[in-house]
Amino acid sequence: MDAQNSFFKALQGISDPEEKREAITQTFYKDVFGKLVKQSGARHLLQGTILTDIDETVAGIKRQHNVFEQLGIDPQETFGYKIVEPLVQLRKDGVRKVAEALGLPVSIYKRMPFPGPALAARVIGEVTPAKIAVVRKATAIVEEMLARVSAFQYMAILHNDRVTGIREGKRDFGHQIELRCWDSIDARRAEPTNLPYELLVKLAHKITSDVPGVVSVTYNITAKPPSTMEAV
Amino acid sequence: MDAQNSFFKALQGISDPEEKREAITQTFYKDVFGKLVKQSGARHLLQGTILTDIDETVAGIKRQHNVFEQLGIDPQETFGYKIVEPLVQLRKDGVRKVAEALGLPVSIYKRMPFPGPALAARVIGEVTPAKIAVVRKATAIVEEMLARVSAFQYMAILHNDRVTGIREGKRDFGHQIELRCWDSIDARRAEPTNLPYELLVKLAHKITSDVPGVVSVTYNITAKPPSTMEAV
């Protein structure tokens, strides 16, 4: 189902992270999934909400898109269907253990987390189709070049700030991509992975060469806390 | 001479890097230094413009504040005094050699470069007294912790973009500081310094602990080109 127009429309003009997350939540549960439910006659949505999603949302750190009951929202009343959450008592490491015990393949139970709001969580400021194209290209490079690194999660983030660069001896006021690569057990605490300097420099070279408009790449060196895993 | 009010006033509401550089140039040469000249009867300004300043300004990469004649501006006509530039045929490495040959102390001829527009060149977006206070604090930490690193230049840059952080279990939508540390001979080309991971993590910890409002620190891993040394 191609729902990109609905999401881009909902995100237009919004730059506050929490407002962006709320716009994505409403668009998904009410509009995109709501329509599917009406068309199909389905009465339930089965989804993988985990304990950390609830903790962070209730504490007001980040509004995770998949949390409702704990915020006093009844999905049946609001969206017209029930939500079933079998993993709601587990954290990431617990989910992996259950998946392994159930005999799921390693590509599933060791799979890297990816945010509910997808690449919209990887764009600082307003989300537009052009910005998503930039961050998607950078993400593909990062995922390919770090595929053999055993980290909890790695990502590329497109900044809204622009910085001065040079291309062929001329000014190029361009974009900056921030890379994050985390070591973590359950996402509650995390440390930046000690990636080799040569790999970092190669990543920056590849991204500034292959992604149009990007003149600068940084690597995040902060722990969580006080950082969070995703910037948005 | 305390001229901060003149500079902050000239910078108010401006976020484009080239407009910021132009505002600082005009404020310094016309207003701040111009007044000194009138009061003192001086007829010359002796300044250390070098060849790289002229190259980058003429190429349109960055408007260096100390370049006039090559842009067709006559300082005598425009500001009321002559500008004397004895180093204008040299680059950074040549200046260092001349200073050493003249018997100046090593603390002078090996001194780290610092931008003409000072910390205003280290703030992305509008420059305010509050932002200068933040970047000054981060700069002091970087200069202290990297004092023994033999790099060409190191710096802290305050971003305008804000990112989501956590403090004491609560959301803290805060600032990000970008660190840059360059290996270079003459500033025309540069590589990020291969700083030890432990030192980077320590820097991030110290900055997020001691500088109010900062929840995230990155390290720039891009070469010049396509980056420039300073972000603004």
Side-chain angles (χ1 to χ4, degrees):
Chain A
M1 179 172 184
D2 183 347
Q4 58 182 311
N5 288 340
S6 304
F7 285 105
F8 282 128
K9 210 179 144 196
L11 287 164
Q12 214 170 353
I14 303 180
S15 57
D16 178 82
E18 289 297 281
E19 288 177 26
K20 279 156 69 175
R21 287 177 169 270
E22 185 62 27
I24 288 165
T25 301
Q26 293 301 328
T27 304
F28 179 73
Y29 289 92
K30 205 172 273 179
D31 183 22
V32 178
F33 195 77
K35 259 186 218 157
L36 271 184
V37 165
K38 272 185 206 143
Q39 287 167 9
S40 67
R43 286 177 299 154
H44 294 88
L45 165 63
L46 178 72
Q47 70 176 10
T49 313
I50 63 171
L51 189 52
T52 318
D53 295 331
I54 292 166
D55 282 353
E56 293 198 346
T57 302
V58 171
I61 294 165
K62 270 183 195 175
R63 195 265 184 267
Q64 301 293 352
H65 73 287
N66 52 4
V67 176
F68 297 102
E69 282 189 35
Q70 295 79 1
L71 295 174
I73 302 165
D74 178 349
Q76 179 71 62
E77 266 178 39
T78 315
F79 306 123
Y81 50 86
K82 284 202 193 315
I83 293 180
V84 183
E85 297 169 317
L87 305 174
V88 84
Q89 289 172 304
L90 303 174
R91 297 190 188 277
K92 285 242 161 57
D93 53 333
V95 176
R96 294 190 199 280
K97 277 177 202 155
V98 168
E100 189 179 3
L102 288 171
L104 292 175
V106 66
S107 62
I108 295 287
Y109 72 77
K110 286 213 169 159
R111 196 167 68 178
M112 189 165 72
F114 189 71
L119 293 176
R122 304 271 169 87
V123 171
I124 296 182
E126 189 186 357
V127 177
T128 64
K131 286 185 184 171
I132 290 291
V134 170
V135 81
R136 178 180 289 127
K137 223 165 176 173
T139 300
I141 293 169
V142 171
E143 291 187 352
E144 188 190 324
M145 290 184 70
L146 297 185
R148 275 189 273 176
V149 169
S150 79
F152 182 85
Q153 193 175 17
Y154 32 83
M155 66 189 76
I157 297 158
L158 175 61
H159 281 218
N160 195 38
D161 285 341
R162 287 197 294 162
V163 295
T164 306
I166 321 177
R167 292 280 183 191
E168 288 154 21
K170 291 209 156 44
R171 173 179 164 84
D172 185 359
F173 190 46
H175 294 290
Q176 185 174 74
I177 288 282
E178 175 187 341
L179 306 182
R180 297 185 177 192
C181 183
W182 296 108
D183 290 343
S184 181
I185 302 291
D186 59 10
R188 283 193 290 176
R189 304 187 68 87
E191 305 285 335
T193 305
N194 182 359
L195 294 176
Y197 169 80
E198 293 69 25
L199 180 57
L200 289 171
V201 168
K202 229 185 256 177
L203 272 162
H205 180 74
K206 179 90 176 150
I207 290 171
T208 55
S209 304
D210 292 6
V211 187
V214 176
V215 295
S216 178
V217 180
T218 62
Y219 184 58
N220 198 301
I221 53 175
T222 325
K224 170 180 182 179
S227 184
T228 55
M229 314 281 280
E230 305 275 352
V232 170
Chain B
M1 181 173 182
D2 183 349
Q4 59 181 310
N5 288 341
S6 304
F7 285 105
F8 282 129
K9 211 180 144 194
L11 288 164
Q12 214 171 350
I14 304 181
S15 57
D16 179 81
E18 290 297 282
E19 289 177 26
K20 279 156 70 175
R21 286 176 170 269
E22 185 60 27
I24 288 165
T25 300
Q26 293 301 328
T27 304
F28 178 73
Y29 289 93
K30 207 172 268 181
D31 182 22
V32 177
F33 195 77
K35 257 185 218 158
L36 270 184
V37 165
K38 273 183 204 141
Q39 287 167 9
S40 67
R43 286 177 299 155
H44 295 87
L45 166 61
L46 178 71
Q47 72 177 8
T49 314
I50 63 171
L51 190 52
T52 319
D53 295 332
I54 292 166
D55 283 354
E56 292 198 347
T57 302
V58 171
I61 295 165
K62 269 182 195 178
R63 195 267 182 265
Q64 299 294 351
H65 73 287
N66 52 3
V67 176
F68 297 102
E69 282 188 36
Q70 294 80 1
L71 294 176
I73 302 165
D74 178 350
Q76 179 72 61
E77 266 178 39
T78 315
F79 307 124
Y81 51 86
K82 285 199 193 316
I83 294 181
V84 184
E85 296 169 317
L87 304 174
V88 84
Q89 290 172 303
L90 303 174
R91 297 192 188 276
K92 285 244 162 58
D93 52 333
V95 176
R96 294 191 200 278
K97 279 177 199 155
V98 168
E100 188 178 5
L102 287 171
L104 292 175
V106 66
S107 63
I108 294 290
Y109 73 77
K110 287 214 169 158
R111 195 166 68 177
M112 187 164 74
F114 189 71
L119 293 176
R122 305 270 169 86
V123 171
I124 296 182
E126 189 185 357
V127 176
T128 64
K131 287 184 185 172
I132 290 291
V134 170
V135 81
R136 178 179 289 125
K137 223 165 176 174
T139 301
I141 292 169
V142 172
E143 292 189 351
E144 189 191 322
M145 289 183 71
L146 297 185
R148 275 189 273 176
V149 170
S150 81
F152 181 84
Q153 193 176 16
Y154 32 82
M155 65 189 75
I157 296 158
L158 176 60
H159 282 219
N160 194 40
D161 285 341
R162 287 197 292 164
V163 294
T164 306
I166 321 176
R167 293 280 184 192
E168 287 155 22
K170 290 211 157 41
R171 173 179 163 83
D172 184 358
F173 190 45
H175 294 290
Q176 184 175 74
I177 288 283
E178 174 188 343
L179 305 182
R180 297 185 177 192
C181 183
W182 296 107
D183 290 343
S184 180
I185 301 292
D186 59 11
R188 284 193 289 177
R189 303 188 68 86
E191 305 286 335
T193 306
N194 183 359
L195 294 176
Y197 170 80
E198 293 69 26
L199 181 56
L200 289 172
V201 167
K202 229 185 253 176
L203 272 161
H205 179 74
K206 177 90 177 153
I207 290 170
T208 54
S209 302
D210 291 8
V211 186
V214 176
V215 295
S216 179
V217 180
T218 63
Y219 184 58
N220 197 301
I221 53 175
T222 326
K224 171 182 180 178
S227 183
T228 55
M229 314 282 281
E230 305 276 350
V232 170

